[in-house]
Amino acid sequence: MDVADIVDRSEETTLKELCGSVLAFRAAYDDVAEQIEDLAYYEYESGGLEHAVGLLEDLARFFEGLRNKNEEVSDDLAQVYLLIGQIYQYAGMFEESIKWLNNSIVVDDMHPVPYHSLALAFQSIGDESLSIKSLEQEIKVAPGNYYTYLLLADLYEKNGEFAMFEDVLRRLLERDDGNVQGLHKLIRRYEQTDHAEVDLLRRRLLERASGLSRIEAVIRAYHLERAGRGAEAIAFLEEWGDNSPDVSIIHLANAHIYGQMHLYSKKRRELSLFKKKNRAREDVMGIKIAEFASVFGEEAAEKLKPRLRVACPVTP
């Protein structure tokens, strides 16, 4: 059986068979790594965590035992360790996850993914100090992972380490001066301290008007309203929403902005549309409200919650 046969039989090949092909030198691990990952998660979700991890540990021992390891073998070993760690993490077994993720880093300390996974595992067990260290190390290894800066900034902010919070965002903006989420977090911090750079940073943020994600579009609307351009914010969200009609968070943003403009009938209508799109499901609406709060603030979100319970239904 060659690698092509193994790949072609992906739907019927078992994890044991695929791992066996690597152990028997019939397939290179890198060629079948994606299939092994898929099958390992399938085994776990089918109740076979111990079996899946056992097979992966066999692979790890195989690579550990090879003499005169070259770079490719070391990379394969690091990837197997990482996969075991991530499966344990997925299963909520964070102590086991941390052990295997650390093993991966020992073998290859220049790969960013184990650091990121390790940070999430430490955060899950409440060790934010080690989570921060892991994210900082990830940034050293892969300074272009911009999302990691945002996660790290959130942890520093949560811990009240505002100097480090600002430092991380400044580092991000040095690499990506138009990063909407980074600019927003820094502006929100500076708004609380009456920092002189608020207007300058806001103008920079508002220069981005196209190609925005959902959260970036809502952030831009927030800053248009804060700049006294509420009508423009509404028009921008309406135009953005034409391409994403199922996104309901824009109705929360619209409702807030209409409220600031004292257009209360329009505010009620936006809240009704929000409820209708989410079928008035409190669990779903709660997730969207939390996302809204991450941009507009908890106070703005709390003001909308009572209104959502009394908003009138929209006539079809």
Side-chain angles (χ1 to χ4, degrees):
M1 182 188 299
D2 60 22
V3 174
D5 292 330
I6 295 170
V7 173
D8 289 342
R9 292 179 61 239
S10 60
E11 291 187 357
E12 55 188 88
T13 301
T14 67
L15 178 62
K16 183 176 181 179
E17 289 172 335
L18 207 53
C19 290
S21 296
V22 176
L23 297 176
F25 296 99
R26 291 198 302 270
Y29 178 77
D30 187 57
D31 290 335
V32 294
E34 186 174 335
Q35 287 174 268
I36 285 177
E37 179 178 349
D38 289 342
L39 288 169
Y41 277 102
Y42 176 78
E43 287 263 356
Y44 160 68
E45 291 178 348
S46 302
L49 173 63
E50 185 176 345
H51 182 248
V53 169
L55 291 171
L56 294 176
E57 287 181 350
D58 288 343
L59 276 181
R61 284 190 289 270
F62 167 72
F63 289 124
E64 289 168 352
L66 292 177
R67 296 182 179 182
N68 302 319
K69 295 182 185 63
N70 57 25
E71 185 176 342
E72 182 179 351
V73 171
S74 294
D75 184 63
D76 289 343
L77 177 58
Q79 290 300 316
V80 174
Y81 285 153
L82 172 61
L83 179 55
I84 296 172
Q86 289 180 324
I87 288 177
Y88 274 128
Q89 187 172 32
Y90 191 70
M93 300 172 65
F94 300 111
E95 296 291 350
E96 288 295 318
S97 172
I98 289 167
K99 180 183 76 174
W100 288 98
L101 293 171
N102 275 321
N103 287 345
S104 181
I105 290 170
V106 168
V107 175
D108 181 4
D109 63 359
M110 295 304 293
H111 186 41
V113 176
Y115 293 110
H116 194 91
S117 295
L118 197 57
L120 298 180
F122 281 130
Q123 197 169 357
S124 296
I125 64 173
D127 195 332
E128 293 182 349
S129 175
L130 288 178
S131 182
I132 285 171
K133 288 181 180 179
S134 298
L135 292 175
E136 287 282 15
Q137 191 61 40
E138 181 193 351
I139 287 173
K140 288 181 182 178
V141 171
N145 290 355
Y146 297 152
Y147 181 62
T148 302
Y149 291 83
L150 300 175
L151 292 178
L152 183 56
D154 286 343
L155 281 176
Y156 279 130
E157 183 179 34
K158 181 181 177 181
N159 291 338
E161 299 180 62
F162 296 114
M164 292 304 299
F165 168 79
E166 293 176 19
D167 174 72
V168 170
L169 294 175
R170 287 290 186 185
R171 282 188 273 156
L172 169 59
L173 294 173
E174 284 175 4
R175 299 188 63 87
D176 181 16
D177 63 0
N179 188 286
V180 172
Q181 294 190 59
L183 285 166
H184 173 68
K185 288 179 183 294
L186 194 56
I187 293 168
R188 288 279 289 168
R189 171 62 185 162
Y190 285 170
E191 283 179 326
Q192 298 169 14
T193 58
D194 295 322
H195 197 285
E197 286 190 69
V198 167
D199 289 340
L200 175 64
L201 292 173
R202 179 169 284 136
R203 285 196 296 273
R204 191 197 303 181
L205 185 152
L206 292 175
E207 288 175 359
R208 283 280 309 277
S210 60
L212 300 178
S213 68
R214 178 187 70 253
I215 196 68
E216 289 172 338
V218 172
I219 287 171
R220 188 171 192 274
Y222 167 86
H223 288 283
L224 284 169
E225 192 278 323
R226 291 289 290 173
R229 298 155 62 183
E232 187 177 341
I234 294 290
F236 166 72
L237 285 177
E238 287 181 353
E239 181 180 357
W240 187 91
D242 285 342
N243 297 318
S244 302
D246 296 328
V247 175
S248 62
I249 190 177
I250 63 173
H251 297 298
L252 292 178
N254 283 339
H256 172 80
I257 295 167
Y258 278 132
Q260 296 297 103
M261 297 167 68
H262 308 297
L263 298 173
Y264 299 112
S265 62
K266 291 185 177 182
K267 175 179 178 177
R268 288 193 296 272
R269 177 173 175 80
E270 291 295 333
L271 292 175
S272 296
L273 286 168
F274 175 75
K275 287 184 72 173
K276 183 179 181 182
K277 281 190 177 181
N278 292 290
R279 300 183 180 181
R281 289 183 53 187
E282 291 188 10
D283 56 339
V284 177
M285 290 194 297
I287 294 171
K288 306 296 175 60
I289 291 170
E291 187 176 31
F292 169 82
S294 72
V295 176
F296 282 81
E298 292 291 342
E299 184 179 351
E302 288 299 322
K303 288 181 179 179
L304 293 181
K305 287 179 182 178
R307 300 283 184 179
L308 285 169
R309 290 195 290 270
V310 298
C312 299
V314 176
T315 304

